Amino acid sequence: MDDGTITTTIPAGPEPPPARPGEERGTLTAWIQDLIFTVDHKKLGLLYIGTGWLFFVAAGIMASLIRAQLVRPNNHLVSPETFNALFTMHGTVMIFFVAMPLVFGFANYIVPLQIGARDMAFPRLNAFSFWLTFFGGCLLFFSYVGAPGLYGAGGAPAAAWFALAPLTSRAFSQGPSVDYWSLALLVSGAGSITGGVNIMVTIFCYRTRGMTLYRMPLFTWLILVTMFLVVMFLPPLSAAQIMLTLQRYLGAKFFETQAGGSAILWQHFFWIFGHPEVYILVLPAFGILNEVIPIFSRKPIFGYPMMVAASVLIGFVSAGVWAHHMFTVGLSTFSVTFFAFSTLVIAIPTGLKIFNWLGTMYGGHLRFEVPMLFSIAFIFQFLIAGLTGVMLGVAPFDWQLNDSYFVVAHFHYVIVGGIVMGIFAGTYFWYPKAFGRMMDKTLGQWHFWMFVIGFHLTFDPQHFAGILGMPRRIYTYQPGRGWEIWNLISSAGVIFQGIGSLIFIFNLFWSYWKGKKAGEDPWDAWTLEWATSSPPPDYNFETLPEVRSRRPLWDLKHPEDPDWKFE
Amino acid sequence: MKRNRTAKQSPKTWVPAILVAAGCLGQRTEAWADDNTVHSVQNIFAPVSGPAETLNQIAILVLVICAAIFLVVAGLTVYAVVRYRRRGPQDDVSEPPQVYGSTAIELAWTVPPVLIVVVLVLVTARTIGEIRGPRTNANDERVEIIGHRYWWEVRYPKYGVTSANEIHVPVNDRNVNEATQLILKSVDTNHGFWVPQLAGKSWVVPNHENAMFVQPWETGIYLGNCTVFCGDQHANMLIRVMVDSKENFQKWLDQQKQASPPDSAPNEGKNQFLVNSCGSCHRVNGTAANGVFGPDLTHFASRQTLGSGVAPNDDDNLRSWLRDPQVLKPGCLMPNMKLSNPQVEQILAYLKTLK
Amino acid sequence: MILVILTESALFTIFVVAYVYYIGKSLNPPYPHEVLELPILGTIALLSSSGTIVRAEQMLKRGSLKGFHQWWGLTILLGAGFLLYTGLEWQKLIHRDGLTISTNLFGSTFYSLVGLHASHVVVGLILLSIILFASMRGSIQHRHHEHIEMISWYWHFVDAIWVVVFTVVYVISART
Ligand code: HEA
Ligand code: HEA
Ligand code: CUA
Ligand SMILES: [Cu+2]
């Protein structure tokens, strides 16, 4: 599967690249060159992940500024325009250039290893997808420089991350800022779609001997479902953005309310993509937990078939719930009822997952390595997040809570408390595989506690602010509305999150040189990625392994009672 | 509970909110006589109006159910973590018994969620019917609320009255089927209308008319916000709903119906107002000023706030506003008219006569 | 290829939905019933090209390169014919009826939907031509028929889309 791979033996580091010229690993330039031209799924995976964390810091600093502005009423740290650009960019970047690259990164790195393949189905296409994503992100950030430079009007996009029509029409946002939003996302969207196709083909066609779909590791399963969602539900967003661009440049009327266009149609289009998107983000996190929890409980996942079924079910149902983001825009009574129903149904398969994780932990020997810590935090926080989600799903309750800080709290609970925690778990879990060294445990624990405490300080109070009627996307507020204290605590929390993140970033680099050697299989794990050296060679496996059960390595380690007896 | 008494009790407001969090919700605030009590803390769990009350009931139900679920599941998690944590090195050598799952158990713990969901769906459907059901009550008041960036136009079609930013509605008797209907329209972008203690929110969408109704049973002033991002000054597109006793409401209407005081007004101020083309955006009944782009100023002096709630309507603020609106409300659509100080003073004097 | 077709369908669906949603919502003329006429010729050309491409494949399977060339070339001609027809239609719409993408909602949705389809026809034609060249230079053998099949799938897909567009635009909306 090696077409034009540059076969140097240099492992890619996380971005920004640690510069160590004149070292036995080759000169810096050679190393960068390798990163740029590589088509190896592992290096691309790391590039994705590096990009993700890079933008995370950027968008996180924006979040810190948002919190700084809201720390007290009538604060004048930033101007309204700046603030609106801040939360728009924060949201857009976090979703499309933090969460998505991280998801694709893990998929890229882990999936081929887990299914015993030598590389992706289309390595060159894979590289292409990454660079599209990467430059999409750069294009979006360039808006800060480019947009005012050209027209003297409007800087970065400031129409909220779902670019409400008709606010995006020329009448209400002059200057090219909105165009940066739609073009950047068109570019990265193309990258994600091609990437999704690539990964699905890989999973379908390149599994090693004996690995039936039914023996596939759950992480790979969830990636499969995720990529299906990507392939099916990114195009609607692209379509809507094409229309928007036609409107802004050729004067098409799609969302021009002045010309009879509909402001609501845009929302339908966006959320038809938008809701599946949030599951695109969370399913891989589920996948990571499905790997971490069994291994640190020393038991196989509880109820593999049901877990697969639940994931697929979630995938399908999530296609039919989008209008729960639109309960208050004035839909017909029927559709409100219908979408409330479909929304609540999702609680059932999701619940099953949580229960099965608990079932896995029951009767096990839990080892609280850092990945396990983050996984447990995930369960706890995702539970709360899901329940607040259910409250929002009950349409009448949403008529009060919609567009309030309660919603902000809800989705940060899912995303930061869930997805980001899951990604952290995955990073600590697979780092030794990627770099051959363990991440430092003490630093990891500090990171964990700092971030979890910061997380709760930041987002728990936002629920109350929302209950007391605080709307989202306001750059300032007046005293006496009962919001002060909540915003104060919330802002304070960010500092802890920031420190936590700094510790994490430091740990990434420190362990790269100083971490203790990992060896092939530090966690005493069971899936194929642990059967090759760490870091794995460019071709992944000397000889493609053959698989007879879901836990091939368990079979090797325990010939006395192998899994395949039970399948 | 003192929760809603005054605007100036900010630091203590977190106490009731904590209580809310703790789940002891729904105590109703006693009725006030005083019309100028500002209900500045808009707790959705302290409704004073029909629809809000209905939403409050279902909200509490859902909250309780979710709390129960949380206690159970979180409890199980904690138990698992404590009970099955690794105990000393012997756990590292010996693997626990390998259990692969049990369809029976899994189905067992799928049933309760299913039931809960069924319950939730049923109550939801019922409540939606209750609130969305069309109101066919002849003697309801009708108020048209029209969103502009960044202020609210308020029309009373039945009385031919137009005002801005401060919405007067009559108090209702909670035992009688009477209410005030709000017709929501927008002339530019999306806005959102939300006064938590009176009713749930609704988007205000261009060329898509929405409607809701309020049934307030306590007089007073209720604050709210524009909830849908609409541009630079979305944050200061504030709402004041004045719930008046029926008599006061009528008084107010009568006074609003009149044109502005004829020529009792200091004339040079009026002239300045017109020559500086304030009139091309603002309307003052009975004068040449008939603009519709900005708020109607016919009874400007009878309002409590400036710039849709951004500041109290007093001399200093008004002066600053006339000098340059962008100071109090950066990004609002009223330009700096570059008035000289004397002009400012004259126009200020004039505006104050518009009772 | 199935996956590609899946995403493409998702893309088209949105444009079709937009078109349907805005049927009869235009504020100012021209309205569909005033300007639209059934593109019979174009449709025939495009649909029959589906048949010819199948023939071409059979020829290749049978190993007759010559037959393959002829049928394949015919397919390209038909496709080009369709494009030409659309071009003429647009010319008429723009210059005689003054309907452009910025005229009204009908214009916007019409040109975007039909245009999107046409652009796919163009892509299809390019692929087809590449194959034709290659085989002219004799570098296409019987063993390539799988790749060929892919391309013909894509071509069939483009046709299928046209059937949808045809019904929605020229049959349903043409009355309004
Ligand atoms: C990635 C993440 C993610 C995930 C997984 C979810 C999961 C869910 N979300 Fe969330 N949501 C977002 C990300 C996410 N959401 C974002 C980003 C927004 C805001 C977008 C914006 O406006 O900017 C949003 C907004 C949002 C809204 C719109 C609010 C509004 O704008 O007014 C609603 C309303 O229904 C909602 C509901 C739900 C529900 C019901 C779930 C369910 O999937 C939750 C299911 C889980 C559980 C229920 C817990 C576990 C289950 C059990 C323990 C079983 C027993 C429980 C029961 C039977 C109830 N979400
Ligand atoms: C992946 C998704 C994601 C993630 C991870 C986050 C993470 C965070 N978000 Fe964000 N957020 C969104 C997605 C996300 N958000 C979306 C979609 C919106 C809606 C946008 C819209 O309304 O259109 C939103 C909106 C949003 C708002 C509401 C804005 C408004 O409505 O006015 C707020 C306010 O508090 C907020 C805060 C935060 C904070 C504090 C974090 C923290 O978790 C961030 C922590 C990270 C860091 C702190 C940076 C890394 C650390 C350093 C660089 C060290 C140095 C820094 C310090 C010491 C402070 N977010
Ligand atoms: Cu009007 Cu926000
Ligand atoms: Cu959703």
Side-chain angles (χ1 to χ4, degrees), chain A residues 364-425:
Chain A
H365 297 163
L366 304 193
R367 296 184 185 162
F368 299 115
E369 299 293 335
V370 182
M372 190 59 168
L373 291 181
F374 278 107
S375 306
I376 294 169
F378 177 110
I379 296 182
F380 182 72
Q381 281 140 196
F382 183 77
L383 172 63
I384 300 177
L387 292 172
T388 53
V390 167
M391 298 177 199
L392 296 167
V394 174
F397 205 167
D398 186 62
W399 289 340
Q400 283 287 20
L401 296 177
N402 163 266
D403 278 324
S404 75
Y405 256 81
F406 192 92
V407 175
V408 176
H410 157 70
F411 68 78
H412 284 91
Y413 245 82
V414 203
I415 294 182
V416 182
I419 296 163
V420 173
M421 298 278 171
I423 300 282
F424 280 143

Side-chain angles (χ1 to χ4, degrees), chain A residues 13 34 44 107 159 192 196 213 219 241 252 267 270 315 353 366 395 419 421 429 487 504 548 553:
Chain A
D34 179 45
L44 285 168
S192 310
L213 280 178
F219 176 78
Q241 286 165 332
Q267 291 185 53
F270 185 90
K353 284 179 164 297
L366 304 193
I419 296 163
M421 298 278 171
F429 182 60
N487 282 287
F504 170 67
R548 300 176 67 188
L553 296 200

Side-chain angles (χ1 to χ4, degrees), chain C residues 128-166:
Chain C
L128 292 170
S129 320
I130 294 176
I131 296 294
L132 192 63
F133 275 141
S135 63
M136 288 297 188
R137 299 201 356 280
S139 52
I140 295 278
Q141 263 60 13
H142 170 270
R143 61 188 161 76
H144 289 100
H145 68 81
E146 277 173 350
H147 304 65
I148 304 290
E149 208 173 325
M150 292 287 174
I151 293 180
S152 68
W153 273 16
Y154 177 82
W155 193 249
H156 292 314
F157 166 71
V158 174
D159 274 13
I161 294 290
W162 177 250
V163 176
V164 179
V165 174
F166 183 82

Side-chain angles (χ1 to χ4, degrees), chain A residues 53-120:
Chain A
W53 288 128
L54 203 67
F55 284 132
F56 175 78
V57 172
I61 291 175
M62 294 177 179
S64 318
L65 288 173
I66 293 176
R67 286 316 322 168
Q69 163 68 13
L70 293 174
V71 65
R72 57 188 176 82
N74 294 332
N75 197 4
H76 290 301
L77 182 71
V78 298
S79 73
E81 299 84 350
T82 321
F83 184 89
N84 300 340
L86 274 177
F87 72 70
T88 305
M89 289 291 280
H90 165 73
T92 313
V93 172
M94 280 291 193
I95 295 284
F96 294 95
F97 301 106
V98 174
M100 289 293 262
L102 287 171
V103 167
F104 273 89
F106 277 91
N108 255 287
Y109 197 101
I110 303 303
V111 166
L113 288 169
Q114 271 195 337
I115 64 175
R118 292 214 185 279
D119 202 323
M120 285 291 188

